[in-house]
Amino acid sequence: MSTSTEEVKYKANDFKSEAEPRWCPGCEDYAILKAVQTAMAKIGRPKNEHAVVSGIGCSSRFPYYMSTYGFHTIHGRPLPVATGLKVSNPELAVWVVTGDGDGISIGGNHLIHALRRNCDLNILLFNNRIYGLTKGQYSPTSTKGMVNKTAPYGTIEDPVDPVGLAVESGATFIAQTSASYVKELVDVLVEAYNHKGTSFVHIYQNCYIYNNGAFDGFTDREIRDDNNIKVEHGKPLVFGKELNKGLTMGYGKFDIVEFEAGNVPDSVLVYDETDPILVRMISDMKFPEHPVPMGIIKRVQAPTFEESVHSQIQTAKEKFKPDLKKLIGSGETWEVK
Amino acid sequence: MSVEKQINEVDTITVKFAGDSGDGIQLTGDQFGNTTAIAGNDFATFPDFPSEIRAPLGTTYGVSSYQIQFAAKDIYTPGDTPEVLVCFNPAALKVNLGIVNKGGLIIVNEDEFTDKNLKKAGFETNPLDPDDDTLRDYRVHKIKITTLTLESLSEMEMGHGDKLRCKNFLALGVVSWLFSRPLEPIENFLKSKFGKKPQILEANMKVLHAGFNICDTMEIFPIMYKVPPAKLEPGTYRNINGALATSYGLLAAAEKIKLPIVFSGYPITPASEILHTLAALKQFNVAAIQTEDEIAAVTMALGAAYGGSLGITGSSGPGLALKVEAINLAVMTELPLIIFDFMRSGISTGMPTKTEQGDLLMSLFGRPSDSHLIVLAPSSAQDCFWISVEAVRLATKYMTPVIVLSEGFLINSSEPWKIPNLDDIPEMESGFRTDPNGFLPYKRNKETLARDWVRIGTPGLEHTIGGLEKTNETGQITQDPENHDLMTRLRYEKTQKVANDIPELEIMGDKDADLLLVGWGSTLGSMRASMEAVASQGKKVAMINIRHLNPLPKNLGDILRSFKKVAVIELNLGHLNMLIRSKFLIDTAFLGRVTGQPIAVTEMIDFINKELETIKEH
């Protein structure tokens, strides 16, 4: 079904609908929209072969701004809808757009089960650590103590760690990036698409109105290189503006070592996205003690849910010829004359 | 040794097996039902069991039972009161004593009537004692079922527990003799079930024959019964219950419309049966998925319907409550989602294994806003097949969700079924749009008002749907006031159009009667039996059973107005009754019961006679 990329070149604008986005000025959802459209152009499949399924929330308006197939569902439920769609139409590229409220709070149960089920879905979780569409209540990822409409004295709950949740749920592809890192985001989205199985992409996304600057501590241009670490399979875990810091194996956690730029010591670990221990340790890192990991944190191969569903159907067909007349007339029968 | 026995030929009889949940009562009943079918009788069954899987032994609340009425003529119910009761323990006797016909036959497993068991069952004296009056009005036959089972297996090297597990087949042997039944169908069943476990097969065979032979040689019963075959319409028959009929109907519909099925469900009593059945029939292009919760079950089915498959889910009351928001998304996006609700006794968790018809008003009106969809209800176990086909036909033709209000009672009860010729079922069209010219996602078919179904992935038809209100035809989201009014009316009118596409109601009984009985769902059987019983006394009664509950059949109003008196009968406190009164502005009489059981025919007959009296008085 897929059209050869040599024949057709797509532009990001080919995936843009005529509807004008209605997000607030300054919202980083615009950047993610552009990145998804750019990634789809790079992927090189026609728009009819993509479907974008969303829940409820600011981010979930996403499908209206795409020229692909789209389904704006109900709060918390885009994942099972997308799973049903993918099982029904396995040839489609199915994208799920959800947020911290939609995906982790009201739809949290579905997230756990979608991640362990490994249906070939690309889940984009926009995390702005706030409820935006309902005007500023705390979300399950809001930092403890944050003051907002429903917590005038500060929130008293510890936040969920989305990447940790994904690791624990057995996701086969986990990436983390920021809406402000457009190029990296596009690359991650293309890799998420290429991964066969559930891809979980956690995207830090600034809400300009209700939680502005939530991620400045590690995404601000001036300081981000010292507070992010780019994780890349087969590359040493090195970070810092001068690339003069690295991660070494400590007691149950990473130690940070400093060195002269360009002279990476052997003790600095080389990242392996398939190594469960490294994956766990990277996802366990807490900012600001450790830098925030950006990039593809985990990627392993496993059979997808829809493949397994259809292969069981195939096996059943080989074992039992699907003969409905025979089935209905099976068991003890008798003739009445 | 065998002596000539007196054979008593009767045209209808009701038998009930009762014992502990772990005694194999349901299996015994099923097997007896099977031999009944093969004997050519018409029959109806009523399996009734507690929600506990293995309730504490010997307790009254742990009693499981299986009632079957079989006859040489057409019958419609599993019978009110058994003429024969087979009790595996004192608790089973305690629970059922009140309902056995005076003069009826009670067979008890004497071994279980110990002081401890009698106390557990709440008997202060042993009803089997010769000077005890409890069973004075009955013909009691004491059989040491446990002892005889162990004795007949004394030479077999197997565990005591395994031996005891065979005792239900001893009882089955006894009952087979009593009703002049051959053992062959039961033997065939044992061979197919235990073919790979020769020891268990041999043990059960021995015990079965032992049960049969002791009746032959020991003269336990002075008479045998024989119920001659019923005069059924010619054809090939099988035994069917509602669970299988529902599943087979879905497979037949899928074959006719040439679409795969995605059935997603979450375990819930009694709806799980359908998921079990379909999960074992994957070869018919069925993706049967057990989901993490009820909401995932309905939304996964909805995603599949959006994709272009038959998206189907099933549940019972508590699950239906959780699915409501997603069903409304299906109403809003106009997708052919099919929802089975196997109604059980509520409210809340209620009595999960017991039956009721309490979800009608919820299905019709229990969603936020002006939300309308098609509601259907099967009237018998075999009708579950046809209702499945109808649900698929209407959902896909009108692009709307359909709720099928089935019942716990129908899932489990079985009856003889003349196997239909699948070639007689008309082909159906998915009608997928492929032409991009002039395509608009909410442009409607003039006749049905249905929008186009698009298989997601089709080139040139890309569009977005969702729960937000959309502009008529274009589907662009909008909050325009007049557009919302228009769309709300269009969605309503679409479901009303279905009335032009469903069969008109047929009056059963005497069309010249003054009294019309109105029911829906499983009450068909007991209402018909009651009506015929009253008619046999020379009185005139008519009845209808409504299978299409929304929209209602077009001739319902005319029928209702053509009778002097209308009486509604249902297993709730007046759902259909309220609907009929408010929609047709007529007065009605009402009989509603929520005991978790079908309404007894005797109770209905009393009600009908009372209503006939009031008509006379006026």
Side-chain angles (χ1 to χ4, degrees), chain A residues 249 254 274-282:
Chain A
M249 190 59 85
F254 291 123
T274 67
D275 182 333
I277 294 172
L278 289 178
V279 166
R280 173 64 59 98
M281 288 178 71
I282 280 287

Side-chain angles (χ1 to χ4, degrees), chain A residues 1 18-19 22 46-53 56 61-92 106 109-114 116-117 305 309-310 312-337, chain B residues 34 37-38 40-41 43 184-185 188-189 230-239 248 251-252 255 260 262 280-287 289-293 295-297 299-304 306-309 325-326 329 333 335 385 416-417 419-423 454-468 475-477:
Chain A
M1 184 154 182
E18 285 163 16
R22 295 188 196 173
K47 60 186 179 180
N48 59 290
E49 295 181 12
H50 292 276
V52 182
V53 181
I56 294 292
R61 293 291 179 104
F62 206 94
Y64 294 111
Y65 311 135
M66 300 292 295
S67 64
T68 61
Y69 281 102
F71 197 172
H72 179 215
T73 70
I74 46 177
H75 204 16
R77 320 300 168 200
L79 282 167
V81 172
T83 304
L85 175 61
K86 183 72 182 177
V87 168
S88 166
N89 308 33
E91 72 287 355
L92 282 176
I106 190 167
N109 192 32
H110 305 308
L111 182 61
I112 295 168
H113 296 281
R116 77 177 169 86
R117 220 174 247 135
F305 180 67
V309 166
H310 291 285
Q312 283 198 346
I313 291 172
Q314 210 47 49
T315 308
K317 279 182 185 171
E318 283 156 21
K319 218 168 151 190
F320 310 99
K321 191 172 163 275
D323 182 340
L324 193 56
K325 279 185 185 169
K326 203 175 141 197
L327 176 75
I328 291 180
S330 65
E332 297 270 11
T333 60
W334 68 97
E335 293 292 330
V336 174
K337 295 219 164 48
Chain B
N34 210 17
I38 289 161
N41 296 132
F43 67 95
E184 204 187 337
N188 289 343
F189 162 79
K231 287 179 195 67
L232 298 169
E233 206 181 308
T236 308
Y237 282 75
R238 62 165 288 165
N239 184 352
Y248 291 171
L251 298 181
E255 202 168 280
V262 176
L281 294 169
K282 292 191 160 96
Q283 65 271 28
F284 293 95
N285 283 321
V286 178
I289 302 169
Q290 181 180 324
T291 56
E292 60 270 28
D293 60 29
I295 299 173
T299 45
M300 220 177 265
L302 181 62
Y306 168 63
S309 296
E325 190 193 7
L329 178 64
T333 51
L335 285 169
F385 178 89
W417 185 39
I419 300 167
N421 182 356
L422 295 179
D423 298 335
V454 174
R455 194 173 191 283
I456 301 306
T458 309
L461 298 180
E462 301 82 6
H463 64 279
T464 290
I465 59 169
L468 288 170
Q476 298 298 316
I477 56 173

Side-chain angles (χ1 to χ4, degrees), chain B residues 334-345:
Chain B
E334 305 186 38
L335 285 169
L337 172 72
I338 297 169
I339 308 108
F340 283 86
D341 173 21
F342 296 93
M343 293 180 288
R344 66 187 217 188
S345 295

Side-chain angles (χ1 to χ4, degrees), chain B residues 162-237:
Chain B
D162 286 341
K163 286 182 180 175
L164 282 181
R165 262 192 283 280
C166 299
K167 68 174 188 278
N168 54 334
F169 279 87
L170 192 117
L172 205 46
V174 169
V175 179
S176 296
W177 183 90
L178 187 61
F179 292 100
S180 327
R181 293 281 171 72
L183 296 179
E184 204 187 337
I186 304 170
E187 291 172 346
N188 289 343
F189 162 79
L190 285 171
K191 281 176 200 158
S192 70
K193 186 166 169 82
F194 298 118
K196 284 178 185 154
K197 294 173 182 165
Q199 196 190 34
I200 295 180
L201 172 64
E202 191 192 337
N204 279 300
M205 290 283 228
K206 269 193 174 176
V207 168
L208 175 69
H209 283 268
F212 193 89
N213 293 338
I214 53 164
C215 296
D216 226 13
T217 55
M218 288 168 64
E219 298 189 32
I220 295 174
F221 304 103
I223 50 167
M224 296 165 86
Y225 293 91
K226 190 166 173 61
V227 180
K231 287 179 195 67
L232 298 169
E233 206 181 308
T236 308
Y237 282 75

Side-chain angles (χ1 to χ4, degrees), chain B residues 20-32:
Chain B
D20 266 328
S21 315
D23 278 339
I25 300 297
Q26 300 304 323
L27 180 68
T28 310
D30 275 342
Q31 283 311 304
F32 189 68

Side-chain angles (χ1 to χ4, degrees), chain B residues 56-74:
Chain B
L57 293 177
T59 57
T60 51
Y61 57 86
V63 171
S64 170
S65 68
Y66 191 105
Q67 185 165 314
I68 176 168
Q69 176 169 223
F70 51 102
K73 56 177 187 184
D74 279 3

Side-chain angles (χ1 to χ4, degrees), chain B residues 268-422:
Chain B
I268 184 167
T269 302
S272 307
E273 283 298 322
I274 307 300
L275 184 57
H276 302 168
T277 308
L278 290 174
L281 294 169
K282 292 191 160 96
Q283 65 271 28
F284 293 95
N285 283 321
V286 178
I289 302 169
Q290 181 180 324
T291 56
E292 60 270 28
D293 60 29
E294 294 281 359
I295 299 173
V298 65
T299 45
M300 220 177 265
L302 181 62
Y306 168 63
S309 296
L310 293 179
I312 307 167
T313 187
S315 194
S316 300
L320 186 67
L322 287 164
K323 292 181 195 295
V324 165
E325 190 193 7
I327 295 172
N328 241 359
L329 178 64
V331 172
M332 188 60 158
T333 51
E334 305 186 38
L335 285 169
L337 172 72
I338 297 169
I339 308 108
F340 283 86
D341 173 21
F342 296 93
M343 293 180 288
R344 66 187 217 188
S345 295
I347 55 178
S348 188
T349 311
M351 305 195 288
T353 55
K354 309 295 177 189
T355 204
E356 204 162 288
Q357 295 180 322
D359 300 347
L360 176 57
L361 290 180
M362 183 198 180
S363 299
L364 294 169
F365 307 117
R367 289 172 301 282
S369 309
D370 271 284
S371 167
H372 303 273
L373 44 67
I374 296 171
V375 180
L376 308 176
S379 54
S380 65
Q382 56 180 292
D383 191 35
C384 291
F385 178 89
W386 299 107
I387 280 288
S388 285
V389 175
E390 182 75 337
V392 170
R393 178 181 80 88
L394 293 176
T396 52
K397 183 169 176 184
Y398 290 87
M399 290 293 282
T400 171
V402 172
I403 292 181
V404 177
L405 283 178
S406 196
E407 295 167 51
F409 170 71
L410 293 178
I411 278 208
N412 295 311
S413 74
S414 55
E415 59 182 353
W417 185 39
K418 188 182 162 191
I419 300 167
N421 182 356
L422 295 179

